[in-house]
Amino acid sequence: VESSIPEHMREAWRKFSASGFKTTDEFEKEVVKHIETTLARSLFNCDELAAYSGTALAFRDRLVIDWNKTQQRQTFADQKRIYYLSLEFLMGRALDNAMLNVGLKNVAKDGLADLGFRIEDVVNQEHDAALGNGGLGRLAACFLDSMASLNYAAWGYGLRYRYGIFKQEIENGYQVEIPDYWLDFNPWEFPRHDVTVDVQFYGWVNKYTDENGKQVTSWQDGEVVVATAYDVPVPGYGTPTVNNLRLWSSKAASGEFDFAKFNAGEYESAVGDQQRAETISAVLYPNDNLERGKELRLKQQYFWCAASLYDIVRRFKKTKRKWSEFPDQVAIQLNDTHPTLAIVELQRILTDLEGLEWDVAWDIVGRTFGYTNHTVLPEALEKWSVPLIQNLLPRHLQIIYDINLFFLQQVEKRFPKDRELLSRVSIIEESQPKMVRMAYLAIVGSHKVNGVAELHSDLIKTTIFKDFVRIYGPDKFGNVTNGITPRRWLHQANPRLSELIASKVGSYEFLKDLTLLNKLEAFADDKEFKKEWAEIKYANKVRLAQHIQKSTGVSVNPKALFDVQVKRIHEYKRQQLNIFGLIHRYLAIKGMSPEERKKLAPRVSIFGGKAAPGYWMAKTIIHLVNKVGEVVNNDKDVGDLLKVIFLEDYNVSKAEIIVPASDISEHISTAGTEASGTSNMKFVLNGGLIIGTLDGANIEITREVGEDNVYLFGTLSEDVEDLRHKHFYSKTDFNPELKKVFDFIKSGAFGDQSAFSALINGIVDHGDYYLVGDDFDSYCKTQDLIDEDYKDQDAWVTKSIQVVSRMGYFTSDRCINEYADTIWNIEPLQVKEEDEVRART
Ligand code: GL7
């Protein structure tokens, strides 16, 4: 507060306070100013990248004004805030989103045209902010958009990785990883060199009695790394609220490097310290649904949790409230178990540093945190080895042991002598070495635990967290089905469809209240409307076809059925089922007469997605898809009837082109494995139908849009275990059609067959864990049904309109309101009406 200008001297500030452009002229003036001064370029030296930079800087200025006001408003309001802790924020591009959210895209379009540029080309210059792997990171980004759009006072906290998810190239059919250095020019971040936190590692714990006879616990002599804040504005749609995403970057405590060491001639070691510290925030771990227990990852987690908690506590302390009010001011949501150390860190701050009694502190901790589980896959559940934590965070390990002790005492009291139960729910797994079960720690330290779709939330209650439901009762465990932001995934990605919808439902209000889409239902049989609807889908397919041509050299017919599966490559997501189905289809086409071929619906099958660099089986699947594509796409017998495309480097900005162009998309995970899925929602919201298993949010999508409008197939989740068991003693009834596919691969049809033997053996000889053989038949039959249905375009378009009209439930705005009501206990912050009403494009 000492840094604020005294009231009687504020006149000049008010007079010159920035207000932001509104008209095309004002916008152009800003762009030219930035290009000429900030970038030191001129009209003789201005390419599309410079035009992007100038435009981004102009919009950034515009956002900053609202951002500052929002932060002031939230500080003065002095209400509870949400803190969303996520190791991943898969934000994608920011400029288009900023233009739409502040309602000035048309202004920018006209202005850029005046200056000699097409807005699409300018927008396409931006590098994706790809600080995430897949669904979990993208969900965090959708949540930030919704929290801002709904005027919640919310901060995201994450890490500022120097390298985001790698860029994928395909060479000779193999995935090659290229580092993603994305920070070269990033106008969307503000370094806050004055906002730093010292984070400690290693050292030892000293317990002693001080001169006043007080017990003191101090963690000392550790190595210190500095966290510096980088802030990213998050604009809401149709509101002046601009929230903050704070990303931490690591640096050595001694600054540039240790001059003492340097002067002593230890140049290498001085630079080494610096590099070791910077390594902490250097790279995003590229695994999706897999944890590998690497020490650097644990360092990342603590670094980020400690810096964020220090920041949150510092902000709370400014309010001069009592500690007991902390949970009334602060709600911290843990995006998976990655930030679980925040629970331990808050307990440490409250007890060791602030001197609160253990029980008083622990009550505050529990009321502060909520934990969201995003997977039941055992290989993704985090466990950290006790020796690792002992070395890196000795005080935290003691606190974890104490938390566990008090927890188990409580369990023992309620369930006396149930030793089995005690060992099952212990936060410490008694293995060699001992392991800390992070999910259990997260449950014990939170007041609410939620899954991300109904089936998933039921599964966690009946399987992995069953004992905890017994201990705490069912009310601690809930469900918040995932959602997506319609701003990016409809309005931005599919502007023509958004405009057509607005023309029918009356306004763009549906982007803030997605249930208004139900007004479209009335037009599902309207001839004129259907024609426009179909035209837009076709135009989106033409655009994707152009992208495919440019990136793969294959030309595809936009009139064909576009069948899309884009997501991380994973055995549980079953891209192998899809490609085996396509080989089956190819064999069928080869066996047909020319007359029979004429009756077939032409199809383009599009794959996209990255494999974790160490995930060999996933890479084998990519290889097979590419090899099948080489053969099929060059076979004259096949022509347009089938094309198999692998699009390299699937990311958020490519999804914005792919999603609006699909007729059918595939969400075909083994039932019970995909917690929710969110791309399923994106495709349907853009008028694509889906083929899917009864898994994750597919089930709720089906309930909303109607069973007749979804192509469901495959084993039910309750039957999965039995089938897996059965595979071990009877292989005799193995699917003969799938066997033909395997024989064809083994014949060398797609090159050296040994490259694919592990993939086939896993199914034939090693138990077929993901039930590919069991579901193959119903999958193929369902695809045949799709072929038939697609021939009746009129009925197809009606379905397409119907499903969109019933997607209101899947907006992330609904999720955020549910989190706010059932977990955070927080209300939005009112914004003045005149600020609320803004011109919207
Ligand atoms: C995931 C789930 O796999 C996915 O089904 C879900 O939609 C997403 C968001 O809740 O979370 N869990 C997970 O570990 N990753 C996911 O994408 C990486």
Side-chain angles (χ1 to χ4, degrees):
V1 186
E2 317 81 56
S3 54
S4 91
I5 307 294
E7 182 57 46
H8 66 278
M9 299 172 79
R10 290 180 189 172
E11 200 172 314
W13 285 86
R14 299 214 166 97
K15 189 162 146 205
F16 296 115
S17 179
S19 60
F21 64 84
K22 285 197 181 70
T23 65
T24 307
D25 272 3
E26 288 164 355
F27 166 73
E28 288 172 41
K29 189 175 157 202
E30 290 297 308
V31 173
V32 171
K33 181 193 82 184
H34 277 300
I35 291 176
E36 291 187 345
T37 62
T38 318
L39 306 173
R41 309 269 291 249
S42 74
L43 76 163
F44 302 108
N45 176 22
C46 183
D47 53 11
E48 281 167 353
L49 184 60
Y52 160 71
S53 308
T55 308
L57 290 165
F59 271 93
R60 177 178 102 148
D61 287 353
R62 189 70 187 58
L63 287 191
V64 166
I65 297 165
D66 282 346
W67 191 27
N68 287 334
K69 284 190 192 158
T70 302
Q71 297 312 316
Q72 272 173 36
R73 186 163 60 238
Q74 294 179 357
T75 304
F76 286 127
D78 195 23
Q79 291 177 12
K80 191 169 187 174
R81 282 191 178 89
I82 306 155
Y83 296 104
Y84 198 79
L85 267 58
S86 180
L87 257 194
E88 304 190 5
F89 288 95
L90 193 44
M91 303 296 279
R93 289 176 176 160
L95 177 58
D96 203 1
N97 188 247
M99 295 193 302
L100 289 168
N101 279 20
V102 301
L104 291 167
K105 185 164 179 180
N106 283 341
V107 167
K109 185 175 171 208
D110 296 344
L112 283 168
D114 278 347
L115 297 171
F117 293 94
R118 273 172 25 128
I119 192 167
E120 298 81 41
D121 302 332
V122 170
V123 161
N124 282 335
Q125 296 302 311
E126 184 170 354
H127 198 111
D128 278 34
L131 306 186
N133 279 285
L136 176 140
R138 182 54 230 177
L139 184 75
C142 283
F143 281 7
L144 291 183
D145 181 86
S146 284
M147 290 189 288
S149 298
L150 294 167
N151 301 314
Y152 286 102
W155 285 53
Y157 275 106
L159 281 182
R160 178 183 178 266
Y161 305 109
R162 198 149 16 107
Y163 297 93
I165 189 66
F166 63 86
K167 187 170 153 29
Q168 177 195 54
E169 287 183 4
I170 301 295
E171 276 179 26
N172 302 321
Y174 288 102
Q175 167 174 301
V176 176
E177 297 100 24
I178 316 281
D180 168 53
Y181 184 78
W182 67 291
L183 291 170
D184 241 356
F185 174 73
N186 177 12
W188 306 106
E189 65 172 14
F190 289 78
R192 303 287 193 196
H193 294 294
D194 55 328
V195 181
T196 62
V197 181
D198 285 355
V199 179
Q200 186 172 217
F201 293 102
Y202 307 107
W204 60 289
V205 181
N206 190 6
K207 290 196 189 202
Y208 59 93
T209 315
D210 72 4
E211 57 275 21
N212 306 319
K214 222 178 156 217
Q215 277 288 324
V216 178
T217 305
S218 122
W219 173 25
Q220 54 196 54
D221 299 341
E223 181 180 313
V224 172
V225 177
V226 179
T228 303
Y230 285 71
D231 288 347
V232 181
V234 180
Y237 174 80
T239 168
T241 297
V242 179
N243 278 336
N244 193 23
L245 168 59
R246 177 158 284 180
L247 302 175
W248 299 104
S249 179
S250 60
K251 254 211 261 162
S254 47
E256 277 305 301
F257 50 69
D258 190 331
F259 279 99
K261 275 191 182 170
F262 180 63
N263 290 333
E266 293 178 50
Y267 176 76
E268 261 184 3
S269 114
V271 175
D273 286 351
Q274 174 68 13
Q275 283 174 347
R276 221 151 40 89
E278 285 185 5
T279 302
I280 293 177
S281 61
V283 344
L284 165 74
Y285 275 89
N287 300 320
D288 183 281
N289 271 295
L290 177 73
E291 278 303 328
R292 297 221 289 182
K294 290 268 197 276
E295 174 166 18
L296 182 60
R297 168 88 166 180
L298 184 62
K299 272 192 165 176
Q300 286 188 337
Q301 294 185 349
Y302 180 64
F303 171 78
W304 153 61
C305 289
S308 306
L309 257 246
Y310 186 91
D311 210 42
I312 292 166
V313 167
R314 169 167 61 193
R315 198 167 299 121
F316 172 77
K317 281 180 145 185
K318 280 195 191 154
T319 70
K320 307 261 193 279
R321 286 166 199 267
K322 297 183 297 218
W323 281 112
S324 61
E325 291 174 50
F326 189 79
D328 305 325
Q329 291 293 104
V330 173
I332 303 179
Q333 192 64 26
L334 307 175
N335 198 24
D336 216 294
T337 53
H338 316 146
T340 303
L341 284 170
I343 289 173
V344 189
E345 177 69 357
L346 182 58
Q347 181 69 6
R348 185 182 75 88
I349 292 171
L350 295 178
T351 53
D352 294 359
L353 307 182
E354 300 294 336
L356 269 61
E357 291 300 323
W358 177 278
D359 289 345
V360 174
W362 188 241
D363 175 66
I364 291 170
V365 169
R367 289 195 287 135
T368 301
F369 288 96
Y371 155 50
T372 306
N373 172 279
H374 292 269
T375 184
V376 295
L377 298 189
E379 66 270 30
L381 296 179
E382 281 190 295
K383 290 176 187 176
W384 289 106
S385 102
V386 165
L388 193 64
I389 300 182
Q390 165 72 58
N391 180 37
L392 193 67
L393 303 166
R395 177 60 185 140
H396 293 77
L397 186 66
Q398 292 176 344
I399 294 173
I400 292 169
Y401 267 100
D402 285 345
I403 292 171
N404 194 36
L405 177 70
F406 297 132
F407 166 63
L408 292 180
Q409 281 172 352
Q410 192 191 323
V411 177
E412 164 78 40
K413 228 191 248 160
R414 283 218 29 223
F415 303 93
K417 305 234 163 60
D418 193 342
R419 296 234 178 77
E420 295 281 302
L421 177 67
L422 290 178
S423 89
R424 281 204 306 275
V425 299
S426 173
I427 292 168
I428 309 294
E429 177 183 275
E430 296 294 327
S431 46
Q432 263 309 333
K434 290 186 178 147
M435 303 292 271
V436 178
R437 298 157 160 164
M438 301 308 270
Y440 293 4
L441 181 54
I443 295 172
V444 173
S446 302
H447 64 283
K448 270 272 157 74
V449 178
N450 75 284
V452 290
E454 277 177 22
L455 174 69
H456 169 66
S457 299
D458 285 346
L459 281 175
I460 62 179
K461 282 196 272 187
T462 51
T463 62
I464 54 176
F465 302 151
K466 191 173 163 205
D467 291 320
F468 291 89
V469 177
R470 249 180 96 202
I471 293 166
Y472 289 113
D475 291 350
K476 180 161 174 167
F477 298 83
N479 171 59
V480 183
T481 299
N482 284 165
I484 55 170
T485 167
R487 273 76 66 179
R488 181 175 295 260
W489 295 113
L490 179 54
H491 193 45
Q492 182 181 320
N494 203 345
R496 280 189 63 194
L497 195 68
S498 184
E499 192 184 343
L500 178 64
I501 293 171
S503 77
K504 290 297 174 197
V505 305
S507 72
Y508 281 108
E509 196 51 31
F510 71 94
L511 294 170
K512 298 217 88 175
D513 175 5
L514 204 63
T515 60
L516 292 173
L517 284 177
N518 63 15
K519 293 191 182 173
L520 280 182
E521 185 104 40
F523 301 92
D525 286 313
D526 179 318
K527 228 170 145 204
E528 217 16 65
F529 182 68
K530 281 171 76 174
K531 201 169 141 233
E532 287 180 69
W533 189 271
E535 261 170 31
I536 291 169
K537 178 62 81 180
Y538 184 73
N540 290 332
K541 288 168 73 176
V542 169
R543 182 164 80 136
L544 178 56
Q546 285 162 353
H547 176 74
I548 290 172
Q549 170 82 54
K550 222 170 57 204
S551 74
T552 68
V554 180
S555 74
V556 301
N557 178 3
K559 294 215 169 72
L561 184 158
F562 277 24
D563 170 346
V564 181
Q565 189 176 18
V566 285
K567 49 186 86 226
R568 285 299 287 257
I569 311 296
H570 213 299
E571 286 163 279
Y572 88 81
K573 295 177 189 281
R574 297 203 296 190
Q575 282 91 355
Q576 69 275 40
L577 177 58
N578 185 347
I579 192 65
F580 294 151
L582 290 169
I583 295 171
H584 171 74
R585 177 175 287 257
Y586 174 64
L587 289 173
I589 294 172
K590 294 293 277 184
M592 284 178 184
S593 67
E595 289 71 43
E596 286 173 310
R597 283 182 194 159
K598 274 200 198 104
K599 288 190 224 143
L600 212 68
R603 187 184 279 244
V604 180
S605 262
I606 299 156
F607 291 79
K610 294 170 187 177
Y615 191 172
W616 191 61
M617 197 65 101
K619 289 183 151 179
T620 302
I621 295 171
I622 291 179
H623 185 53
L624 181 58
V625 172
N626 279 286
K627 286 293 163 187
V628 172
E630 272 175 32
V631 172
V632 171
N633 300 343
N634 294 306
D635 190 329
K636 295 276 181 304
D637 287 349
V638 176
D640 267 0
L641 289 181
L642 182 61
K643 289 277 183 277
V644 177
I645 305 295
F646 190 94
L647 279 180
E648 66 184 8
D649 200 40
Y650 177 61
N651 61 12
V652 171
S653 56
K654 292 201 176 84
E656 290 167 23
I657 299 171
I658 296 167
V659 167
S662 98
D663 295 305
I664 281 283
S665 63
E666 310 222 6
H667 309 277
I668 59 177
S669 50
T670 311
T673 61
E674 187 72 275
S676 162
T678 42
S679 78
N680 41 8
M681 303 167 190
K682 294 166 198 166
F683 282 102
V684 181
L685 186 60
N686 283 276
L689 304 185
I690 59 175
I691 176 169
T693 44
L694 282 125
D695 200 15
N698 291 352
I699 296 172
E700 287 148 271
I701 292 175
T702 306
R703 187 161 69 211
E704 293 293 310
V705 308
E707 225 169 309
D708 294 345
N709 290 331
V710 177
Y711 296 95
L712 294 175
F713 74 97
T715 307
L716 303 181
S717 72
E718 61 255 41
D719 300 327
V720 168
E721 272 312 311
D722 283 347
L723 274 175
R724 279 181 183 155
H725 183 72
K726 204 177 112 194
H727 290 164
F728 283 97
Y729 57 87
S730 92
K731 288 180 202 157
T732 44
D733 54 353
F734 194 79
N735 187 305
E737 290 302 310
L738 184 55
K739 189 165 177 304
K740 280 185 208 160
V741 169
F742 290 166
D743 289 343
F744 192 53
I745 296 172
K746 284 182 189 162
S747 76
F750 307 110
D752 181 7
Q753 61 106 11
S754 69
F756 310 114
S757 56
L759 186 57
I760 295 174
N761 292 345
I763 295 165
V764 180
D765 299 323
H766 300 140
D768 190 11
Y769 189 76
Y770 296 104
L771 274 48
V772 174
D774 305 272
D775 286 351
F776 188 71
D777 188 54
S778 64
Y779 175 71
C780 293
K781 288 203 172 108
T782 307
Q783 287 288 14
D784 292 343
L785 182 64
I786 290 170
D787 285 332
E788 277 314 302
D789 285 1
Y790 193 68
K791 287 180 195 159
D792 184 352
Q793 271 300 298
D794 197 50
W796 188 277
V797 175
T798 294
K799 282 183 181 213
S800 168
I801 296 167
Q802 261 171 5
V803 295
V804 173
S805 75
R806 299 170 186 174
M807 282 298 285
Y809 182 73
F810 298 99
T811 168
S812 45
D813 295 350
R814 187 264 314 149
C815 306
I816 289 303
N817 283 325
E818 283 184 17
Y819 277 94
D821 285 352
T822 64
I823 302 173
W824 302 330
N825 190 23
I826 187 176
E827 302 278 336
L829 189 60
Q830 286 311 312
V831 178
K832 272 192 271 139
E833 214 162 303
E834 69 250 35
D835 291 333
E836 188 77 70
V837 186
R838 299 264 208 100
R840 297 293 161 215
T841 40

